[in-house]
Amino acid sequence: MNIRYKSTRNSDITVTASQAILKGLADDGGLFVPERIPKLSVSVDELKGMTYQETAYAVMKEFLTDFTEEELKDCICKAYDAKFDTDEIAPLAKVDDTYYLELFHGATIAFKDMALSILPHLLTTSAKKNQVQNEIVILTATSGDTGKAAMAGFADVEGTRIIVFYPKNGVSKVQELQMVTQKGKNVAVVAIHGNFDNAQSGVKALFENKELGKELEACGYQFSSANSINIGRLVPQVVYYVYAYAKLLENEQIQSGEIINVVVPTGNFGNILAAYYAKQMGIPIGKLICASNENKVLFDFFQTGTYDKKHREFVLTTSPSMDILISSNLERLIYQAAGCDDGRNRELMRALNEEGVYQITEDMKAELKDFEAGYASEKQTADTIREVYEETGYVMDTHTAVAAFVCREYRNRTKDTAKCVVASTASPYKFVKSVMTAIDENYGDKDEFPLLEELKRVSGTELPGAIKEILNADILHTLECDVDNMEQTVRNLLNL
Ligand SMILES: *Cc1c(COP(=O)(O)O)cnc(C)c1O
């Protein structure tokens, strides 16, 4: 069946999937949502034994209904190939009584690869389908992982350019090096003097700048987004929850129909929303457990129904990809909880924008009963890494550890015995300093690079290709700018 997309701030206008992918954000500043969440047309038993690529097709064809079978299969095939260091693409590691869905086996060793390996193909296919002649300029704010994954995905993709903004002091050394060494004649990366929310707000303002939009059009450009607000990123993320369930079934870890819980280390709320979509497609998921670090705006929201980014300090943590106070994708959930009432959602988002806080009603809160929330302090995160390592030998990254802590805490608190899948969102190599310091604080004085070898030794794993690559690479990007100078920087880069 055909699925169209509408904005969370205006239900009247609908567009096709390919148009939604091209635009990224709706003209009214809202996010595109499918008119309804489609059901899977295959049973979970049929999913058993499917490859990742086959599962991806079974899921994505339900959402991207204006893509032909050939187009979609071609995108999937180009995305999930030897760039991943395992044929399974997203392996499930059983550690004690918990399953870690390892989403970090792609080109940049964080879960953003799962969606950003395919987005460029979805986007260029969408451009062709809609007779777009303009060059597409991907504009992206990153808290570290998106930027590199997007650049890796878009580098030298014909008909596209990409400009990435990251917070100068808000990313790890490995993350920064990964970005500033990125090759490709169509890529630019800029360090901003501010935090991730500044970068994200700045990018959003550029998208909403009508004047700039006109000038771009006149010069043969148009903006699109690689941020997780793009439906072309959200949909590929639904796949791995479906795949994880099928794998548990295939490996006889669960019975057919058995309910599992999913724990997701959350920042912009894209990944956990994809899990929610997987549930609505028919996968037997019980609770969606949202794990936050000390920037626990989401935890407080799920407890109280009040989203308040104003009365709190932004904290830099060892899980920087979750250092976020405005979780953009939450708007999609809010809209759904409001009964798809665009007016109600618009009012809440206006309040967030102007007052920095909004409160949902009791009836909306009741709609969120599938969600649970927890958070981990810096100490709890580090302790979890060390304890799991000491007990099992498994080394996880800081983001995953936030979720692992919240998972344990949830089970102890509720006595819920359902099996838990923890989304493991980054390789420990990417956050090697924090990970090694958690294992033994004596590592705290060492430089990041020698620690890579130490991590290799203690974990008994191979150095990932993405790490080997940056060890001797040249620095190609040194551009920096102030928060209020982002527009000018973009103009300069595009010669406007
Ligand atoms: C982006 C990211 C997250 C947060 O994911 P969202 O979809 O933004 O909630 C968590 N962990 C890592 C390693 C990430 O890169």
Side-chain angles (χ1 to χ4, degrees):
M1 244 184 301
N2 207 21
I3 298 242
R4 292 181 69 86
Y5 290 77
K6 57 190 179 179
S7 162
T8 49
R9 300 190 192 176
N10 178 357
S11 308
D12 296 339
I13 303 166
T14 67
V15 298
T16 63
S18 63
Q19 287 163 342
I21 291 171
L22 275 172
K23 290 186 85 80
L25 201 65
D27 290 335
D28 51 34
L31 275 58
F32 287 112
V33 281
E35 289 169 313
R36 62 193 158 75
I37 308 292
K39 295 274 178 224
L40 281 165
S41 51
V42 287
S43 69
V44 284
D45 288 300
E46 287 169 288
L47 287 163
K48 218 166 63 176
M50 279 193 190
T51 62
Y52 191 86
Q53 294 79 356
E54 288 163 348
T55 313
Y57 180 69
V59 172
M60 293 176 68
K61 79 178 169 74
E62 305 294 346
F63 283 98
L64 309 181
T65 52
D66 69 325
F67 283 63
T68 66
E69 176 171 351
E70 193 192 346
E71 284 168 342
L72 193 51
K73 285 191 168 163
D74 182 51
C75 291
I76 289 169
C77 175
K78 283 177 178 154
Y80 303 114
D81 61 6
K83 289 191 283 303
F84 286 78
D85 66 15
T86 155
D87 289 341
E88 287 179 283
I89 308 294
L92 204 53
K94 185 171 186 200
V95 180
D96 262 355
D97 55 355
T98 306
Y99 300 87
Y100 290 86
L101 178 61
E102 294 186 347
L103 303 172
F104 55 76
H105 289 273
T108 75
I109 57 175
F111 96 94
K112 306 287 193 298
D113 288 326
M114 302 304 298
L116 283 163
S117 327
I118 195 163
L119 182 69
H121 305 295
L122 295 177
L123 197 68
T124 47
T125 307
S126 298
K128 263 191 223 120
K129 295 175 77 65
N130 291 278
Q131 287 88 41
V132 170
Q133 307 290 336
N134 287 338
E135 193 161 38
I136 294 169
V137 180
I138 301 294
L139 209 55
T140 284
T142 183
S143 54
D145 290 336
T146 300
K148 173 65 185 185
M151 286 193 286
F154 281 96
D156 292 327
V157 170
E158 214 167 307
T160 71
R161 287 204 188 200
I162 172 161
I163 303 173
V164 170
F165 291 96
Y166 74 94
K168 176 73 190 154
N169 295 314
V171 301
S172 84
K173 176 116 187 259
V174 169
Q175 283 179 314
E176 184 166 39
L177 262 178
Q178 280 188 306
M179 289 191 279
V180 298
T181 58
Q182 176 66 48
K183 296 194 184 100
K185 19 183 212 317
N186 62 339
V187 305
V189 53
V190 186
I192 69 153
H193 307 137
N195 62 32
F196 171 68
D197 282 319
N198 299 136
Q200 178 155 265
S201 305
V203 164
K204 249 191 134 182
L206 290 171
F207 272 102
E208 287 165 16
N209 186 331
K210 298 265 163 17
E211 193 55 39
L212 183 63
K214 274 189 219 137
E215 283 179 59
L216 286 171
E217 182 68 40
C219 298
Y221 293 121
Q222 69 187 61
F223 281 151
S224 188
S225 165
N227 273 85
S228 60
I229 51 169
N230 194 316
I231 199 80
R233 263 193 67 185
L234 198 51
V235 170
Q237 292 179 189
V238 178
V239 175
Y240 44 72
Y241 293 106
V242 176
Y243 182 71
Y245 192 88
K247 276 279 168 266
L248 285 172
L249 209 53
E250 190 181 315
N251 300 338
E252 298 178 347
Q253 302 293 311
I254 55 171
Q255 313 272 319
S256 183
E258 185 174 333
I259 288 182
I260 62 163
N261 292 330
V262 167
V263 193
V264 186
T266 298
N268 230 346
F269 210 76
N271 205 4
I272 193 166
L273 189 72
Y276 186 48
Y277 282 8
K279 173 171 180 157
Q280 292 173 79
M281 286 191 95
I283 297 299
I285 294 173
K287 292 290 180 192
L288 300 133
I289 304 167
C290 172
S292 299
N293 64 23
E294 289 181 3
N295 292 294
K296 60 182 183 61
V297 63
L298 286 166
F299 170 77
D300 292 339
F301 169 71
F302 282 110
Q303 298 302 304
T304 64
T306 300
Y307 193 96
D308 183 352
K309 64 139 184 139
K310 194 170 169 191
H311 302 99
R312 71 178 74 232
E313 287 293 310
F314 180 87
V315 196
L316 286 178
T317 72
T318 51
S319 44
S321 301
M322 298 158 68
D323 289 346
I324 291 176
L325 292 185
I326 305 178
S327 289
S328 305
N329 271 296
L330 187 67
E331 181 171 343
R332 289 188 162 109
L333 182 65
I334 295 294
Y335 172 78
Q336 200 174 327
C340 300
D341 181 336
D342 51 349
R344 262 171 106 184
N345 177 63
R346 216 165 37 232
E347 170 50 28
L348 293 171
M349 295 307 132
R350 184 207 56 76
L352 178 63
N353 205 14
E354 288 169 18
E355 289 139 38
V357 48
Y358 64 79
Q359 182 158 24
I360 62 169
T361 55
E362 282 304 314
D363 64 309
M364 284 177 70
K365 221 178 146 205
E367 291 293 318
L368 307 180
K369 62 178 185 327
D370 289 340
F371 288 85
E372 285 279 337
Y375 73 98
S377 68
E378 287 291 272
K379 179 166 186 321
Q380 288 162 335
T381 305
D383 287 350
T384 303
I385 294 176
R386 193 189 59 253
E387 284 162 20
V388 174
Y389 168 65
E390 285 173 356
E391 287 158 20
T392 68
Y394 188 71
V395 181
M396 68 180 83
D397 102 290
T398 43
H399 304 74
T400 309
V402 168
F405 175 82
V406 168
C407 180
R408 281 186 178 181
E409 184 272 328
Y410 168 81
R411 281 171 160 164
N412 290 338
R413 179 165 50 84
T414 62
K415 311 287 181 248
D416 183 345
T417 55
K419 304 224 163 62
C420 283
V421 169
V422 169
S424 178
T425 50
S427 157
Y429 286 96
K430 198 154 192 177
F431 300 95
V432 63
K433 178 102 175 186
S434 304
V435 168
M436 291 308 289
T437 311
I439 288 175
D440 181 343
E441 54 191 39
N442 292 326
Y443 287 120
D445 316 324
K446 294 229 168 78
D447 276 347
E448 246 178 69
F449 281 171
L451 287 180
L452 292 168
E453 282 300 322
E454 282 296 295
L455 175 54
K456 184 175 157 191
R457 190 179 60 75
V458 304
S459 67
T461 54
E462 278 297 310
L463 214 55
I467 294 291
K468 289 185 198 146
E469 229 169 61
I470 56 168
L471 290 177
N472 301 307
D474 293 331
I475 304 232
L476 305 172
H477 308 272
T478 53
L479 208 53
E480 295 186 17
C481 87
D482 288 333
V483 173
D484 51 15
N485 218 15
M486 286 167 65
E487 179 179 341
Q488 193 53 49
T489 305
V490 168
R491 286 176 180 278
N492 294 348
L493 286 168
L494 298 177
N495 294 318
L496 293 185

